[in-house]
Amino acid sequence: MAMMQKKYATDIFGFGEEFRRHQYAYWKAHKDEWDDLFAQAEIRVHVQTYLRRFGQCK
């Protein structure tokens, strides 16, 4: 993630598309500079995992 963000400044994960869908006013105002904003953004990922049917094998 950091290499795509810092070295290539490319949003291959689609964060800009999510902004366009859910925060359209912000996206419209910043769409031309999105690659620069993405390169400077601090991105944190939180993963929550649930195990179901632990130990079952067929």
Side-chain angles (χ1 to χ4, degrees):
M1 168 94 111
M3 182 164 39
M4 294 310 291
Q5 189 178 10
K6 302 294 182 199
K7 186 175 180 181
Y8 299 110
T10 304
D11 180 12
I12 64 166
F13 303 105
F15 293 117
E17 183 64 21
E18 287 297 311
F19 269 104
R20 187 187 67 76
R21 285 187 208 146
H22 300 288
Q23 300 289 330
Y24 186 74
Y26 180 86
W27 169 252
K28 189 173 180 181
H30 296 90
K31 67 180 178 181
D32 294 331
E33 58 187 330
W34 176 250
D35 288 335
D36 294 330
L37 290 172
F38 174 72
Q40 297 172 9
E42 179 181 337
I43 298 174
R44 296 181 196 169
V45 178
H46 175 77
V47 177
Q48 193 168 17
T49 305
Y50 297 97
L51 296 176
R52 291 178 29 186
R53 298 182 185 153
F54 184 76
Q56 284 188 344
C57 294
K58 289 187 178 186

Short mmCIF file of all heavy atoms in Angstrom, two decimals:
data_model
loop_
_atom_site.label_atom_id
_atom_site.label_comp_id
_atom_site.label_asym_id
_atom_site.label_seq_id
_atom_site.Cartn_x
_atom_site.Cartn_y
_atom_site.Cartn_z
N MET A 1 0.82 -1.18 0.00
CA MET A 1 0.00 0.00 0.00
C MET A 1 0.87 1.25 0.00
O MET A 1 0.63 2.14 -0.79
CB MET A 1 -0.93 -0.01 1.22
CG MET A 1 -1.61 1.27 1.46
SD MET A 1 -3.21 1.36 0.75
CE MET A 1 -4.20 1.34 2.18
N ALA A 2 1.85 1.30 0.87
CA ALA A 2 2.68 2.50 0.98
C ALA A 2 3.44 2.76 -0.32
O ALA A 2 3.59 3.92 -0.72
CB ALA A 2 3.64 2.37 2.14
N MET A 3 3.91 1.71 -0.99
CA MET A 3 4.65 1.91 -2.24
C MET A 3 3.74 2.51 -3.31
O MET A 3 4.13 3.42 -4.02
CB MET A 3 5.26 0.61 -2.75
CG MET A 3 6.04 0.87 -4.01
SD MET A 3 7.20 -0.31 -4.64
CE MET A 3 6.59 -1.88 -4.41
N MET A 4 2.52 1.99 -3.43
CA MET A 4 1.60 2.53 -4.43
C MET A 4 1.24 3.98 -4.10
O MET A 4 1.09 4.80 -4.99
CB MET A 4 0.33 1.68 -4.50
CG MET A 4 0.56 0.29 -5.00
SD MET A 4 1.50 0.19 -6.53
CE MET A 4 0.37 0.86 -7.69
N GLN A 5 1.15 4.27 -2.82
CA GLN A 5 0.75 5.60 -2.39
C GLN A 5 1.89 6.59 -2.54
O GLN A 5 1.70 7.68 -3.10
CB GLN A 5 0.29 5.54 -0.94
CG GLN A 5 -0.33 6.80 -0.46
CD GLN A 5 -0.83 6.66 0.97
OE1 GLN A 5 -0.53 5.69 1.66
NE2 GLN A 5 -1.58 7.63 1.42
N LYS A 6 3.07 6.27 -2.06
CA LYS A 6 4.18 7.22 -2.04
C LYS A 6 4.98 7.24 -3.34
O LYS A 6 5.25 8.29 -3.90
CB LYS A 6 5.13 6.91 -0.88
CG LYS A 6 4.46 6.93 0.47
CD LYS A 6 3.99 8.30 0.85
CE LYS A 6 3.38 8.26 2.24
NZ LYS A 6 2.54 9.36 2.54
N LYS A 7 5.36 6.06 -3.84
CA LYS A 7 6.24 5.99 -5.00
C LYS A 7 5.49 6.29 -6.30
O LYS A 7 5.95 7.06 -7.13
CB LYS A 7 6.90 4.62 -5.07
CG LYS A 7 7.94 4.50 -6.16
CD LYS A 7 8.64 3.16 -6.10
CE LYS A 7 9.68 3.05 -7.20
NZ LYS A 7 10.36 1.76 -7.17
N TYR A 8 4.33 5.66 -6.49
CA TYR A 8 3.61 5.80 -7.74
C TYR A 8 2.46 6.80 -7.68
O TYR A 8 1.94 7.20 -8.72
CB TYR A 8 3.07 4.43 -8.19
CG TYR A 8 4.16 3.42 -8.42
CD1 TYR A 8 4.33 2.34 -7.58
CD2 TYR A 8 5.04 3.57 -9.48
CE1 TYR A 8 5.33 1.42 -7.79
CE2 TYR A 8 6.05 2.65 -9.70
CZ TYR A 8 6.19 1.57 -8.85
OH TYR A 8 7.19 0.66 -9.05
N ALA A 9 2.03 7.19 -6.49
CA ALA A 9 0.91 8.14 -6.30
C ALA A 9 -0.31 7.71 -7.10
O ALA A 9 -0.95 8.50 -7.77
CB ALA A 9 1.33 9.56 -6.65
N THR A 10 -0.62 6.42 -7.03
CA THR A 10 -1.73 5.86 -7.79
C THR A 10 -2.70 5.17 -6.84
O THR A 10 -2.31 4.37 -6.01
CB THR A 10 -1.21 4.83 -8.82
OG1 THR A 10 -0.25 5.48 -9.64
CG2 THR A 10 -2.31 4.31 -9.67
N ASP A 11 -3.98 5.48 -6.99
CA ASP A 11 -5.03 4.93 -6.14
C ASP A 11 -5.60 3.66 -6.78
O ASP A 11 -6.67 3.67 -7.37
CB ASP A 11 -6.12 5.98 -5.95
CG ASP A 11 -7.26 5.50 -5.07
OD1 ASP A 11 -7.13 4.45 -4.42
OD2 ASP A 11 -8.29 6.19 -5.04
N ILE A 12 -4.87 2.54 -6.65
CA ILE A 12 -5.34 1.29 -7.25
C ILE A 12 -6.40 0.62 -6.39
O ILE A 12 -7.04 -0.32 -6.83
CB ILE A 12 -4.19 0.31 -7.51
CG1 ILE A 12 -3.55 -0.13 -6.20
CG2 ILE A 12 -3.18 0.90 -8.47
CD1 ILE A 12 -2.66 -1.34 -6.34
N PHE A 13 -6.59 1.09 -5.17
CA PHE A 13 -7.53 0.46 -4.24
C PHE A 13 -8.93 1.05 -4.32
O PHE A 13 -9.86 0.53 -3.72
CB PHE A 13 -7.00 0.55 -2.81
CG PHE A 13 -5.64 -0.08 -2.68
CD1 PHE A 13 -4.52 0.69 -2.57
CD2 PHE A 13 -5.51 -1.46 -2.69
CE1 PHE A 13 -3.27 0.11 -2.46
CE2 PHE A 13 -4.26 -2.05 -2.59
CZ PHE A 13 -3.14 -1.26 -2.48
N GLY A 14 -9.10 2.16 -5.03
CA GLY A 14 -10.43 2.72 -5.24
C GLY A 14 -10.94 3.64 -4.15
O GLY A 14 -12.15 3.84 -4.04
N PHE A 15 -10.06 4.23 -3.37
CA PHE A 15 -10.51 5.17 -2.34
C PHE A 15 -11.19 6.38 -2.96
O PHE A 15 -12.18 6.88 -2.45
CB PHE A 15 -9.34 5.62 -1.46
CG PHE A 15 -8.76 4.53 -0.63
CD1 PHE A 15 -7.45 4.12 -0.80
CD2 PHE A 15 -9.51 3.89 0.34
CE1 PHE A 15 -6.90 3.11 -0.03
CE2 PHE A 15 -8.97 2.88 1.13
CZ PHE A 15 -7.67 2.49 0.93
N GLY A 16 -10.68 6.85 -4.07
CA GLY A 16 -11.29 7.99 -4.76
C GLY A 16 -12.70 7.68 -5.22
O GLY A 16 -13.59 8.54 -5.15
N GLU A 17 -12.92 6.47 -5.68
CA GLU A 17 -14.25 6.06 -6.10
C GLU A 17 -15.21 6.04 -4.92
O GLU A 17 -16.38 6.42 -5.04
CB GLU A 17 -14.19 4.67 -6.75
CG GLU A 17 -15.50 4.18 -7.29
CD GLU A 17 -16.05 5.03 -8.42
OE1 GLU A 17 -15.30 5.75 -9.08
OE2 GLU A 17 -17.29 4.96 -8.63
N GLU A 18 -14.74 5.62 -3.76
CA GLU A 18 -15.58 5.66 -2.56
C GLU A 18 -15.93 7.10 -2.17
O GLU A 18 -17.05 7.38 -1.78
CB GLU A 18 -14.88 4.95 -1.39
CG GLU A 18 -14.86 3.45 -1.54
CD GLU A 18 -16.27 2.85 -1.55
OE1 GLU A 18 -17.08 3.18 -0.66
OE2 GLU A 18 -16.54 2.05 -2.46
N PHE A 19 -14.96 8.00 -2.29
CA PHE A 19 -15.26 9.41 -2.03
C PHE A 19 -16.29 9.93 -3.02
O PHE A 19 -17.19 10.67 -2.66
CB PHE A 19 -13.99 10.28 -2.12
CG PHE A 19 -13.29 10.45 -0.83
CD1 PHE A 19 -12.14 9.76 -0.56
CD2 PHE A 19 -13.79 11.32 0.13
CE1 PHE A 19 -11.48 9.91 0.65
CE2 PHE A 19 -13.15 11.48 1.34
CZ PHE A 19 -11.98 10.77 1.59
N ARG A 20 -16.17 9.53 -4.27
CA ARG A 20 -17.13 9.98 -5.28
C ARG A 20 -18.54 9.50 -4.94
O ARG A 20 -19.51 10.23 -5.08
CB ARG A 20 -16.74 9.49 -6.67
CG ARG A 20 -17.62 10.07 -7.77
CD ARG A 20 -17.34 9.47 -9.12
NE ARG A 20 -17.71 8.06 -9.20
CZ ARG A 20 -18.96 7.60 -9.32
NH1 ARG A 20 -19.98 8.43 -9.34
NH2 ARG A 20 -19.19 6.31 -9.40
N ARG A 21 -18.66 8.28 -4.47
CA ARG A 21 -19.97 7.72 -4.13
C ARG A 21 -20.58 8.33 -2.88
O ARG A 21 -21.77 8.60 -2.83
CB ARG A 21 -19.86 6.21 -3.92
CG ARG A 21 -19.72 5.44 -5.16
CD ARG A 21 -19.80 3.95 -4.83
NE ARG A 21 -19.04 3.21 -5.81
CZ ARG A 21 -18.36 2.11 -5.57
NH1 ARG A 21 -18.32 1.61 -4.36
NH2 ARG A 21 -17.71 1.50 -6.52
N HIS A 22 -19.76 8.51 -1.84
CA HIS A 22 -20.30 8.85 -0.53
C HIS A 22 -20.07 10.30 -0.09
O HIS A 22 -20.76 10.78 0.80
CB HIS A 22 -19.74 7.90 0.53
CG HIS A 22 -20.07 6.47 0.25
ND1 HIS A 22 -21.34 5.97 0.40
CD2 HIS A 22 -19.30 5.45 -0.20
CE1 HIS A 22 -21.35 4.69 0.06
NE2 HIS A 22 -20.12 4.35 -0.30
N GLN A 23 -19.09 10.97 -0.67
CA GLN A 23 -18.78 12.37 -0.33
C GLN A 23 -18.63 13.16 -1.62
O GLN A 23 -17.57 13.73 -1.91
CB GLN A 23 -17.49 12.44 0.50
CG GLN A 23 -17.52 11.70 1.79
CD GLN A 23 -18.43 12.36 2.80
OE1 GLN A 23 -18.60 13.57 2.80
NE2 GLN A 23 -19.02 11.56 3.67
N TYR A 24 -19.69 13.22 -2.43
CA TYR A 24 -19.58 13.75 -3.79
C TYR A 24 -19.12 15.21 -3.82
O TYR A 24 -18.33 15.59 -4.68
CB TYR A 24 -20.90 13.61 -4.53
CG TYR A 24 -20.77 14.02 -5.98
CD1 TYR A 24 -20.10 13.20 -6.88
CD2 TYR A 24 -21.26 15.24 -6.43
CE1 TYR A 24 -19.95 13.57 -8.20
CE2 TYR A 24 -21.10 15.61 -7.74
CZ TYR A 24 -20.44 14.78 -8.63
OH TYR A 24 -20.28 15.15 -9.93
N ALA A 25 -19.57 16.03 -2.90
CA ALA A 25 -19.17 17.44 -2.90
C ALA A 25 -17.66 17.57 -2.71
O ALA A 25 -17.01 18.36 -3.41
CB ALA A 25 -19.91 18.20 -1.80
N TYR A 26 -17.10 16.80 -1.80
CA TYR A 26 -15.64 16.81 -1.59
C TYR A 26 -14.93 16.31 -2.83
O TYR A 26 -13.95 16.89 -3.28
CB TYR A 26 -15.27 15.95 -0.38
CG TYR A 26 -13.78 15.92 -0.12
CD1 TYR A 26 -13.19 16.92 0.63
CD2 TYR A 26 -12.98 14.92 -0.65
CE1 TYR A 26 -11.82 16.92 0.87
CE2 TYR A 26 -11.62 14.91 -0.43
CZ TYR A 26 -11.04 15.90 0.33
OH TYR A 26 -9.70 15.91 0.55
N TRP A 27 -15.42 15.23 -3.39
CA TRP A 27 -14.81 14.64 -4.59
C TRP A 27 -14.81 15.64 -5.75
O TRP A 27 -13.81 15.82 -6.43
CB TRP A 27 -15.53 13.37 -4.99
CG TRP A 27 -15.14 12.88 -6.34
CD1 TRP A 27 -15.87 12.90 -7.47
CD2 TRP A 27 -13.88 12.29 -6.69
NE1 TRP A 27 -15.16 12.37 -8.50
CE2 TRP A 27 -13.94 12.00 -8.07
CE3 TRP A 27 -12.73 12.01 -5.99
CZ2 TRP A 27 -12.86 11.42 -8.74
CZ3 TRP A 27 -11.66 11.44 -6.66
CH2 TRP A 27 -11.74 11.14 -8.02
N LYS A 28 -15.93 16.29 -5.96
CA LYS A 28 -16.05 17.23 -7.08
C LYS A 28 -15.05 18.38 -6.92
O LYS A 28 -14.45 18.82 -7.90
CB LYS A 28 -17.47 17.76 -7.15
CG LYS A 28 -17.75 18.55 -8.40
CD LYS A 28 -19.21 18.89 -8.50
CE LYS A 28 -19.47 19.69 -9.77
NZ LYS A 28 -20.87 20.05 -9.90
N ALA A 29 -14.86 18.84 -5.70
CA ALA A 29 -13.95 19.95 -5.45
C ALA A 29 -12.48 19.55 -5.58
O ALA A 29 -11.63 20.39 -5.89
CB ALA A 29 -14.20 20.53 -4.06
N HIS A 30 -12.17 18.26 -5.38
CA HIS A 30 -10.77 17.83 -5.34
C HIS A 30 -10.41 16.76 -6.37
O HIS A 30 -9.31 16.22 -6.33
CB HIS A 30 -10.45 17.29 -3.95
CG HIS A 30 -10.54 18.33 -2.89
ND1 HIS A 30 -11.72 18.57 -2.21
CD2 HIS A 30 -9.65 19.22 -2.42
CE1 HIS A 30 -11.52 19.54 -1.35
NE2 HIS A 30 -10.27 19.97 -1.46
N LYS A 31 -11.27 16.46 -7.32
CA LYS A 31 -11.01 15.34 -8.22
C LYS A 31 -9.77 15.55 -9.09
O LYS A 31 -9.07 14.58 -9.39
CB LYS A 31 -12.22 15.05 -9.09
CG LYS A 31 -12.56 16.12 -10.10
CD LYS A 31 -13.78 15.72 -10.90
CE LYS A 31 -14.16 16.82 -11.86
NZ LYS A 31 -15.34 16.47 -12.62
N ASP A 32 -9.45 16.78 -9.46
CA ASP A 32 -8.28 17.02 -10.31
C ASP A 32 -6.97 16.86 -9.56
O ASP A 32 -5.92 16.62 -10.18
CB ASP A 32 -8.35 18.42 -10.92
CG ASP A 32 -9.52 18.54 -11.89
OD1 ASP A 32 -9.89 17.52 -12.50
OD2 ASP A 32 -10.05 19.65 -12.03
N GLU A 33 -6.99 16.98 -8.25
CA GLU A 33 -5.78 16.84 -7.45
C GLU A 33 -5.79 15.57 -6.59
O GLU A 33 -5.01 15.45 -5.65
CB GLU A 33 -5.61 18.08 -6.57
CG GLU A 33 -6.78 18.33 -5.65
CD GLU A 33 -6.69 19.64 -4.89
OE1 GLU A 33 -5.58 20.10 -4.60
OE2 GLU A 33 -7.76 20.19 -4.58
N TRP A 34 -6.66 14.63 -6.93
CA TRP A 34 -6.83 13.44 -6.09
C TRP A 34 -5.54 12.63 -5.94
O TRP A 34 -5.22 12.17 -4.86
CB TRP A 34 -7.95 12.55 -6.60
CG TRP A 34 -8.03 11.30 -5.80
CD1 TRP A 34 -7.73 10.04 -6.19
CD2 TRP A 34 -8.38 11.20 -4.41
NE1 TRP A 34 -7.88 9.16 -5.15
CE2 TRP A 34 -8.28 9.85 -4.04
CE3 TRP A 34 -8.75 12.12 -3.44
CZ2 TRP A 34 -8.55 9.41 -2.75
CZ3 TRP A 34 -9.02 11.67 -2.17
CH2 TRP A 34 -8.91 10.33 -1.83
N ASP A 35 -4.78 12.44 -7.01
CA ASP A 35 -3.56 11.63 -6.90
C ASP A 35 -2.58 12.24 -5.91
O ASP A 35 -1.94 11.52 -5.15
CB ASP A 35 -2.90 11.46 -8.27
CG ASP A 35 -3.69 10.52 -9.17
OD1 ASP A 35 -4.44 9.67 -8.63
OD2 ASP A 35 -3.57 10.64 -10.40
N ASP A 36 -2.45 13.55 -5.89
CA ASP A 36 -1.57 14.21 -4.91
C ASP A 36 -2.12 14.08 -3.49
O ASP A 36 -1.37 13.82 -2.55
CB ASP A 36 -1.40 15.69 -5.25
CG ASP A 36 -0.66 15.89 -6.56
OD1 ASP A 36 0.18 15.03 -6.91
OD2 ASP A 36 -0.92 16.90 -7.23
N LEU A 37 -3.43 14.25 -3.33
CA LEU A 37 -4.04 14.10 -2.01
C LEU A 37 -3.90 12.67 -1.50
O LEU A 37 -3.60 12.45 -0.33
CB LEU A 37 -5.52 14.49 -2.05
CG LEU A 37 -5.83 15.96 -2.24
CD1 LEU A 37 -7.33 16.15 -2.47
CD2 LEU A 37 -5.37 16.76 -1.05
N PHE A 38 -4.08 11.71 -2.38
CA PHE A 38 -3.94 10.31 -2.00
C PHE A 38 -2.51 9.99 -1.57
O PHE A 38 -2.29 9.29 -0.59
CB PHE A 38 -4.34 9.40 -3.17
CG PHE A 38 -4.09 7.95 -2.92
CD1 PHE A 38 -4.87 7.24 -2.03
CD2 PHE A 38 -3.06 7.29 -3.57
CE1 PHE A 38 -4.64 5.90 -1.79
CE2 PHE A 38 -2.83 5.96 -3.34
CZ PHE A 38 -3.62 5.26 -2.45
N ALA A 39 -1.54 10.54 -2.28
CA ALA A 39 -0.13 10.29 -1.94
C ALA A 39 0.23 10.82 -0.57
O ALA A 39 1.10 10.27 0.11
CB ALA A 39 0.78 10.90 -3.01
N GLN A 40 -0.44 11.87 -0.11
CA GLN A 40 -0.13 12.48 1.18
C GLN A 40 -1.02 12.00 2.32
O GLN A 40 -0.77 12.32 3.48
CB GLN A 40 -0.25 14.00 1.06
CG GLN A 40 0.72 14.59 0.08
CD GLN A 40 0.44 16.06 -0.17
OE1 GLN A 40 -0.38 16.67 0.51
NE2 GLN A 40 1.12 16.62 -1.14
N ALA A 41 -2.05 11.26 2.02
CA ALA A 41 -3.02 10.84 3.03
C ALA A 41 -2.45 9.79 3.97
O ALA A 41 -1.63 8.96 3.59
CB ALA A 41 -4.26 10.29 2.36
N GLU A 42 -2.89 9.82 5.21
CA GLU A 42 -2.56 8.78 6.17
C GLU A 42 -3.71 7.78 6.16
O GLU A 42 -4.86 8.13 6.41
CB GLU A 42 -2.42 9.36 7.58
CG GLU A 42 -2.11 8.32 8.61
CD GLU A 42 -2.01 8.90 10.00
OE1 GLU A 42 -1.76 10.11 10.14
OE2 GLU A 42 -2.20 8.12 10.96
N ILE A 43 -3.39 6.54 5.82
CA ILE A 43 -4.41 5.51 5.69
C ILE A 43 -4.15 4.43 6.74
O ILE A 43 -3.05 3.90 6.85
CB ILE A 43 -4.40 4.89 4.28
CG1 ILE A 43 -4.73 5.98 3.27
CG2 ILE A 43 -5.38 3.74 4.19
CD1 ILE A 43 -4.63 5.55 1.84
N ARG A 44 -5.18 4.14 7.52
CA ARG A 44 -5.11 3.09 8.53
C ARG A 44 -6.11 2.01 8.16
O ARG A 44 -7.22 2.31 7.76
CB ARG A 44 -5.45 3.63 9.90
CG ARG A 44 -4.47 4.66 10.38
CD ARG A 44 -4.87 5.14 11.75
NE ARG A 44 -4.16 6.38 12.04
CZ ARG A 44 -4.43 7.14 13.05
NH1 ARG A 44 -5.41 6.83 13.86
NH2 ARG A 44 -3.75 8.24 13.24
N VAL A 45 -5.70 0.77 8.32
CA VAL A 45 -6.57 -0.36 8.01
C VAL A 45 -6.81 -1.13 9.29
O VAL A 45 -5.88 -1.49 10.00
CB VAL A 45 -5.94 -1.28 6.94
CG1 VAL A 45 -6.81 -2.47 6.67
CG2 VAL A 45 -5.66 -0.50 5.68
N HIS A 46 -8.08 -1.37 9.59
CA HIS A 46 -8.47 -2.15 10.77
C HIS A 46 -9.20 -3.39 10.26
O HIS A 46 -10.18 -3.28 9.53
CB HIS A 46 -9.38 -1.34 11.68
CG HIS A 46 -9.91 -2.12 12.83
ND1 HIS A 46 -9.16 -2.39 13.95
CD2 HIS A 46 -11.10 -2.69 13.03
CE1 HIS A 46 -9.89 -3.11 14.78
NE2 HIS A 46 -11.07 -3.30 14.25
N VAL A 47 -8.72 -4.55 10.65
CA VAL A 47 -9.32 -5.81 10.21
C VAL A 47 -9.89 -6.52 11.42
O VAL A 47 -9.22 -6.68 12.44
CB VAL A 47 -8.29 -6.71 9.51
CG1 VAL A 47 -8.90 -8.03 9.12
CG2 VAL A 47 -7.68 -6.00 8.32
N GLN A 48 -11.13 -6.94 11.30
CA GLN A 48 -11.76 -7.71 12.35
C GLN A 48 -12.17 -9.05 11.74
O GLN A 48 -12.91 -9.08 10.76
CB GLN A 48 -12.97 -6.97 12.89
CG GLN A 48 -13.49 -7.53 14.17
CD GLN A 48 -14.50 -6.58 14.81
OE1 GLN A 48 -15.04 -5.68 14.16
NE2 GLN A 48 -14.76 -6.80 16.07
N THR A 49 -11.69 -10.14 12.31
CA THR A 49 -11.91 -11.47 11.74
C THR A 49 -12.80 -12.29 12.65
O THR A 49 -12.68 -12.26 13.87
CB THR A 49 -10.56 -12.20 11.58
OG1 THR A 49 -9.69 -11.38 10.81
CG2 THR A 49 -10.72 -13.52 10.91
N TYR A 50 -13.70 -13.03 12.04
CA TYR A 50 -14.58 -13.94 12.76
C TYR A 50 -14.34 -15.35 12.22
O TYR A 50 -14.32 -15.56 11.00
CB TYR A 50 -16.05 -13.59 12.55
CG TYR A 50 -16.41 -12.23 13.09
CD1 TYR A 50 -16.46 -11.13 12.27
CD2 TYR A 50 -16.70 -12.07 14.44
CE1 TYR A 50 -16.79 -9.88 12.77
CE2 TYR A 50 -17.03 -10.83 14.94
CZ TYR A 50 -17.07 -9.73 14.11
OH TYR A 50 -17.39 -8.51 14.60
N LEU A 51 -14.17 -16.31 13.11
CA LEU A 51 -14.02 -17.70 12.71
C LEU A 51 -15.36 -18.40 12.87
O LEU A 51 -16.01 -18.29 13.91
CB LEU A 51 -12.96 -18.41 13.56
CG LEU A 51 -11.55 -17.89 13.42
CD1 LEU A 51 -10.63 -18.62 14.40
CD2 LEU A 51 -11.05 -18.07 12.00
N ARG A 52 -15.75 -19.12 11.86
CA ARG A 52 -16.99 -19.89 11.90
C ARG A 52 -16.64 -21.34 11.65
O ARG A 52 -15.79 -21.66 10.84
CB ARG A 52 -17.96 -19.42 10.82
CG ARG A 52 -18.49 -18.05 11.09
CD ARG A 52 -19.42 -17.56 10.00
NE ARG A 52 -20.12 -18.65 9.34
CZ ARG A 52 -20.90 -18.50 8.29
NH1 ARG A 52 -21.07 -17.31 7.79
NH2 ARG A 52 -21.51 -19.52 7.74
N ARG A 53 -17.31 -22.21 12.36
CA ARG A 53 -17.15 -23.66 12.19
C ARG A 53 -15.67 -24.07 12.36
O ARG A 53 -15.11 -24.75 11.53
CB ARG A 53 -17.66 -24.08 10.82
CG ARG A 53 -19.12 -23.80 10.66
CD ARG A 53 -19.62 -24.27 9.33
NE ARG A 53 -21.01 -23.86 9.18
CZ ARG A 53 -21.59 -23.64 8.04
NH1 ARG A 53 -20.94 -23.79 6.92
NH2 ARG A 53 -22.85 -23.30 8.00
N PHE A 54 -15.10 -23.60 13.41
CA PHE A 54 -13.71 -23.89 13.70
C PHE A 54 -13.49 -25.39 13.86
O PHE A 54 -14.20 -26.07 14.59
CB PHE A 54 -13.32 -23.18 15.00
CG PHE A 54 -11.88 -23.32 15.36
CD1 PHE A 54 -10.92 -22.59 14.69
CD2 PHE A 54 -11.48 -24.20 16.34
CE1 PHE A 54 -9.59 -22.74 15.01
CE2 PHE A 54 -10.16 -24.37 16.66
CZ PHE A 54 -9.20 -23.63 15.99
N GLY A 55 -12.54 -25.93 13.13
CA GLY A 55 -12.16 -27.34 13.27
C GLY A 55 -12.88 -28.31 12.38
O GLY A 55 -12.60 -29.49 12.43
N GLN A 56 -13.81 -27.87 11.57
CA GLN A 56 -14.52 -28.81 10.71
C GLN A 56 -13.73 -29.06 9.44
O GLN A 56 -13.24 -28.13 8.79
CB GLN A 56 -15.90 -28.27 10.30
CG GLN A 56 -16.92 -28.37 11.40
CD GLN A 56 -18.31 -28.00 10.87
OE1 GLN A 56 -18.44 -27.42 9.81
NE2 GLN A 56 -19.31 -28.35 11.64
N CYS A 57 -13.58 -30.30 9.08
CA CYS A 57 -12.91 -30.68 7.84
C CYS A 57 -13.76 -31.73 7.15
O CYS A 57 -14.37 -32.57 7.80
CB CYS A 57 -11.54 -31.27 8.11
SG CYS A 57 -10.38 -30.09 8.81
N LYS A 58 -13.78 -31.71 5.86
CA LYS A 58 -14.52 -32.72 5.10
C LYS A 58 -13.58 -33.50 4.23
O LYS A 58 -12.66 -33.06 3.68
CB LYS A 58 -15.59 -32.06 4.25
CG LYS A 58 -16.72 -31.54 5.08
CD LYS A 58 -17.84 -31.05 4.19
CE LYS A 58 -18.99 -30.57 5.05
NZ LYS A 58 -20.14 -30.20 4.30
#
